[in-house]
Amino acid sequence: MILFQFQFSQVENEKEYSIIPDFCKWLCEQIFIRINTKVNRRKIQLRLKYLYTVPWIKWNKHRYIETETIINTIHKCLTFKQYRKNVWRIITEPNTLIPGTKTSMDRLIRFINYGDNEMRATGMFTLIQRYYTYNELQNLWQLYCMKELGYMTDTRIIGEAKRN
C-alpha cells in the first residue's frame, strides 16, 4: 500500500542525494510514532475479536493475535522505495504477513483504515496521508538536512502526498 510519494527537485550535490534514503528511513520512524498511540492501539484492540470471524484472513493453526503484535508488524512493514530517479514512496511492504496467518499485512492495514460493512473505519493511515503534505515534508527535509549536513539546502520536495 502506498502511503504517499514525493519528489526531490534541485538536488545540488552528491552529499544531499546520499542522505535521501536515510531521510526516508527516519520519516518511516516518524510515521510510526504517529501511528503508535494509545488511541490507535485501542482502536485496533476493539477490532481483534472481529478479525477472528472474517473470511479474508487465512489463519494457520490457532487464531490468536495481540494488539502489540499488530503494532510491531506495522512498524516492520513501513518502508520506502525509490520509484524513479528522484521520486520516493513511503509504503507498507506487500510481502509482510500478519503473524499466525497466510494473509498480507496490507489487507489488515486497509481494513483498519477503511473498515468494512460490519466494522467502522479508523482512518489511521488516511490521517497520516493528510498530515504529511508536501509542505510538511519540505519542513522535515530542511530539519533533517540541517541536522545531518549542518546547512540549509535548496533542494525542494515537490508533489503532494499520493492518495489511494
Side-chain angles (χ1 to χ4, degrees):
M1 180 173 146
I2 299 170
L3 293 178
F4 52 86
Q5 74 180 20
F6 50 93
Q7 180 176 354
F8 290 88
S9 82
Q10 304 169 1
V11 181
E12 292 179 354
N13 58 46
E14 194 61 37
K15 198 184 293 185
E16 288 178 10
Y17 191 77
S18 69
I19 67 167
I20 291 175
D22 294 332
F23 169 72
C24 291
K25 186 176 181 180
W26 177 78
L27 186 58
C28 287
E29 289 301 317
Q30 299 307 305
I31 291 168
F32 179 70
I33 289 169
R34 289 194 161 276
I35 291 171
N36 189 20
T37 63
K38 286 183 181 180
V39 171
N40 286 342
R41 283 175 173 268
R42 182 71 179 140
K43 289 177 181 179
I44 291 170
Q45 185 178 10
L46 291 171
R47 286 156 176 77
L48 285 180
K49 284 185 183 176
Y50 180 69
L51 291 179
Y52 302 132
T53 65
V54 295
W56 51 267
I57 294 183
K58 305 297 181 216
W59 294 93
N60 289 341
K61 293 182 182 179
H62 52 45
R63 296 177 181 217
Y64 182 74
I65 195 164
E66 295 178 339
T67 305
E68 187 68 26
T69 306
I70 292 173
I71 291 290
N72 288 338
T73 308
I74 289 171
H75 187 234
K76 285 183 212 168
C77 77
L78 271 177
T79 189
F80 60 92
K81 187 176 189 179
Q82 187 172 8
Y83 178 60
R84 292 191 187 129
K85 183 171 179 2
N86 288 331
V87 179
W88 294 79
R89 288 179 170 171
I90 303 298
I91 62 171
T92 57
E93 181 61 46
N95 298 325
T96 303
L97 299 178
I98 303 167
T101 72
K102 297 175 186 171
T103 306
S104 167
M105 194 64 189
D106 271 358
R107 292 192 79 182
L108 180 61
I109 288 171
R110 288 181 203 285
F111 166 72
I112 289 170
N113 194 50
Y114 300 113
D116 66 5
N117 291 337
E118 300 294 321
M119 196 61 65
R120 292 181 60 180
T122 65
M124 288 168 37
F125 293 90
T126 303
L127 290 174
I128 294 294
Q129 291 170 333
R130 286 185 189 151
Y131 179 79
Y132 288 100
T133 62
Y134 69 94
N135 287 331
E136 182 64 24
L137 290 171
Q138 178 64 35
N139 292 338
L140 291 172
W141 170 247
Q142 290 293 339
L143 176 74
Y144 192 80
C145 283
M146 187 62 114
K147 183 181 108 186
E148 292 297 314
L149 302 174
Y151 62 85
M152 294 292 281
T153 178
D154 289 331
T155 301
R156 310 293 305 159
I157 291 182
I158 58 174
E160 196 163 345
K162 182 182 184 307
R163 307 286 184 237
N164 287 341

